[in-house]
Amino acid sequence: MKLSQLWRSNAEAVICISMLLFLIGTVNIFSASFVEAGQQMGDGYYYLKRHLISFSIGIVAMLVISRIDYHRFNRFLFPFMLLTVGLLIAVHFIGIEVNGARRWLNIGFQFQPSELAKLTGLMITAGFLGPLIDRKRRITLLSAPFYIAAILGMIVLKQPDMGTAVIIVGTSLMLYIIAGLPKQQLLTLVGGGIALFIYATFAASYRAERIAAWINPWDYQLGIGYQTVQGLLAIGSGGFWGTGLGMGSSKFNYLPEAHTDFAFAVLCQEMGFIGALGVLCLMGLLAYYGVRIALKAPDGLGKLLTMGSIFLILGQAIINISMVSGLFPVVGVPLPFISFGGTSLIVNLMAIGLILSVGRQADGVVLQDTAPEPDASRSTRLKLARQARNLNRVK
């Protein structure tokens, strides 16, 4: 059976794969959090309940967004941007501080505005560049969306949250590259990005220490390298098949942030290489079908919204998995659908909603393109009808 025959459309594939990732993540979050939840909250189901509440909000948002014509979102970009900036500024004054970082607002429940900033930067950049692609206009970094993304990134960097800031700016820049950024500006961008990374790394002492611990975490295993070492030990102890669900030892106060940033380490320990490979394959399939939707999108806006949403999800996945496995320094980037994080889950589901919104119109364009002419012969009509059915099966 061909891979394309598993789904009736690319959009169906995206939603099914997303739900599979959510189910795996829900099992993993409960397993990774019930010890801490029982000890600190007096309820082993505390984090699981919050996770399911966030999913309920996110799935409603996803379904609503998927049913709206994505062109209509441009009308709300400016107030959406003002809301995001206002929330980020509010964090600086009245935000909740946890582990030395001020990233959350309490509005009856804890909310992380920097997650919303990821989606804001994506939509503003796509909304600006999409029409330029359609009109074949020149693309340049010296335009408003780049500055807006940079401002959002700098505000988030002050929280401090370097990982999220990189995702915000990186998503915007990726859309510029997809839209056709000139090579000269691309080279300047690479050089400037390296210089900025070096500056940002050594501008704060704790970041420089993280780099040192990343290069050789074993020399810092009693301090800043402790989390990386424990993550590597958890991954290695899982072996091929894993220790079994709920049987991993790392969550018993050995691995900090076991249910959030380092949830993938717990998954590797309890589900083994097979479980980790399954998650990687699902992420790859999500990207594959997302790209198929982008290629069939009826215009530049649809293409960039889809590619930006895919990059937003897969970019975080690559950074998180690389971080947990020791390939990247430790940064505060969760693994989409697998790590605990209410705002992150809601925003990722909203990004899936954008992909589905574009996918609905992309499917409609294919059907319209395969419609027979009014004066076509009966044999021609039958032939085109068969082609339309085949296309629907491929999608």
Side-chain angles (χ1 to χ4, degrees):
M1 178 183 293
K2 293 182 180 180
L3 185 63
S4 58
Q5 294 176 341
L6 294 173
W7 325 100
R8 290 179 297 178
S9 68
N10 295 317
E12 182 183 89
V14 167
I15 193 170
C16 289
I17 293 167
S18 300
M19 293 304 100
L20 282 173
L21 285 169
F22 165 75
L23 290 174
I24 294 172
T26 300
V27 172
N28 188 62
I29 287 169
F30 174 62
S31 180
S33 67
F34 76 86
V35 174
E36 180 179 332
Q39 292 175 344
Q40 297 186 5
M41 306 298 177
D43 179 5
Y45 296 93
Y46 176 80
Y47 291 109
L48 176 63
K49 292 175 183 176
R50 292 182 62 190
H51 177 67
L52 294 177
I53 291 172
S54 298
F55 172 75
S56 301
I57 297 171
I59 197 70
V60 170
M62 183 195 79
L63 292 175
V64 170
I65 291 173
S66 69
R67 302 300 298 179
I68 297 175
D69 183 346
Y70 61 88
H71 297 93
R72 296 183 180 179
F73 295 125
N74 280 345
R75 304 174 187 175
F76 308 102
L77 284 182
F78 185 70
F80 192 49
M81 179 191 69
L82 291 181
L83 174 64
T84 302
V85 172
L87 290 172
L88 289 175
I89 293 175
V91 168
H92 181 71
F93 293 100
I94 60 173
I96 301 171
E97 186 171 336
V98 180
N99 297 328
R102 192 184 297 271
R103 302 173 185 172
W104 295 268
L105 285 176
N106 191 341
I107 51 176
F109 57 91
Q110 286 194 11
F111 173 74
Q112 193 171 354
S114 59
E115 292 291 335
L116 193 62
K118 297 175 183 176
L119 203 61
T120 302
L122 185 164
M123 295 180 68
I124 289 174
T125 305
F128 178 82
L129 295 179
L132 296 184
I133 293 177
D134 296 334
R135 299 168 190 164
K136 298 183 179 178
R137 298 286 181 85
R138 182 174 180 270
I139 305 298
T140 175
L141 274 179
L142 304 177
S143 52
F146 174 74
Y147 300 133
I148 293 172
I151 291 171
L152 292 173
M154 285 189 290
I155 297 174
V156 171
L157 190 61
K158 283 286 186 180
Q159 293 182 354
D161 190 351
M162 185 176 180
T164 302
V166 169
I167 291 293
I168 294 170
V169 178
T171 301
S172 180
L173 292 177
M174 181 59 65
L175 293 184
Y176 272 91
I177 294 172
I178 294 172
L181 191 67
K183 289 184 179 179
Q184 184 178 2
Q185 291 193 21
L186 181 58
L187 293 175
T188 303
L189 174 64
V190 172
I194 293 173
L196 182 61
F197 174 78
I198 294 173
Y199 168 76
T201 298
F202 294 99
S205 59
Y206 79 92
R207 294 194 194 112
E209 291 176 354
R210 282 187 176 183
I211 294 296
W214 163 55
I215 295 173
N216 191 355
W218 303 98
D219 286 348
Y220 297 84
Q221 60 180 306
L222 299 180
I224 195 171
Y226 176 82
Q227 193 171 18
T228 301
V229 169
Q230 291 299 318
L232 292 173
L233 290 174
I235 293 172
S237 64
F240 192 82
W241 297 107
T243 59
L245 293 176
M247 303 302 293
S249 60
S250 59
K251 59 178 173 281
F252 288 91
N253 299 322
Y254 290 104
L255 178 62
E257 310 297 337
H259 62 294
T260 54
D261 293 348
F262 275 70
F264 185 69
V266 176
L267 184 145
C268 290
Q269 185 176 55
E270 299 189 351
M271 301 185 191
F273 174 79
I274 291 296
L277 182 62
V279 169
L280 292 176
C281 288
L282 288 173
M283 288 290 182
L285 286 173
L286 185 63
Y288 171 75
Y289 285 107
V291 170
R292 283 171 63 95
I293 289 175
L295 292 176
K296 293 181 179 180
D299 54 18
L301 175 60
K303 176 181 179 181
L304 292 183
L305 280 176
T306 305
M307 293 301 295
S309 298
I310 289 296
F311 181 81
L312 179 63
I313 295 172
L314 271 294
Q316 291 181 91
I318 292 171
I319 291 175
N320 179 273
I321 292 172
S322 299
M323 172 192 76
V324 173
S325 58
L327 298 177
F328 283 178
V330 176
V331 291
V333 175
L335 179 57
F337 302 109
I338 305 299
S339 296
F340 174 79
T343 316
S344 174
L345 177 60
I346 293 170
V347 169
N348 287 327
L349 287 171
M350 291 172 69
I352 293 295
L354 287 176
I355 297 173
L356 297 177
S357 176
V358 178
R360 287 177 59 244
Q361 293 208 23
D363 291 343
V365 168
V366 171
L367 290 175
Q368 182 180 359
D369 290 344
T370 57
E373 295 294 331
D375 58 348
S377 65
R378 183 173 182 274
S379 61
T380 301
R381 288 174 176 272
L382 291 174
K383 180 179 178 181
L384 289 174
R386 284 195 298 270
Q387 290 177 351
R389 287 195 297 270
N390 291 335
L391 282 170
N392 283 331
R393 284 197 293 270
V394 169
K395 294 183 292 177

